Amino acid sequence: MPGKAKQYVDQGMSSVQSTVSVLQQALSSAEKEDNKNKIQQAINSLNSAQQELSGYQD
C-alpha cells in the first residue's frame, strides 16, 4: 500500500494535469502576445514539475 506522501504526490499530479488543461484553454483565448507567453511559461513549468514528480518513489 502506498504511503501517505505518495498519495499526496498523486493528488498533486492530478491537480497539475487539471491546471495545465485549463491554462491551455486560456492560452487559446489570450489575445496579447505577452499574456500568451506568460501562460505558456506557466504550462512549461507545470509540465516540468509533473515530470519531476512522475519519478517519485515511496
Side-chain angles (χ1 to χ4, degrees):
M1 181 165 193
K4 198 71 168 168
K6 176 69 170 142
Q7 290 176 341
Y8 287 131
V9 168
D10 289 344
Q11 286 176 353
M13 293 264 291
S14 180
S15 296
V16 168
Q17 288 172 340
S18 297
T19 304
V20 167
S21 181
V22 170
L23 286 174
Q24 285 172 334
Q25 291 176 340
L27 183 62
S28 66
S29 303
E31 295 178 4
K32 294 182 180 177
E33 197 62 34
D34 187 48
N35 289 339
K36 287 183 180 186
N37 289 336
K38 287 177 181 171
I39 295 168
Q40 186 61 60
Q41 286 175 356
I43 290 171
N44 293 346
S45 295
L46 288 167
N47 284 332
S48 292
Q50 197 168 22
Q51 280 185 321
E52 286 295 320
L53 289 172
S54 69
Y56 183 88
Q57 299 284 326
D58 227 5

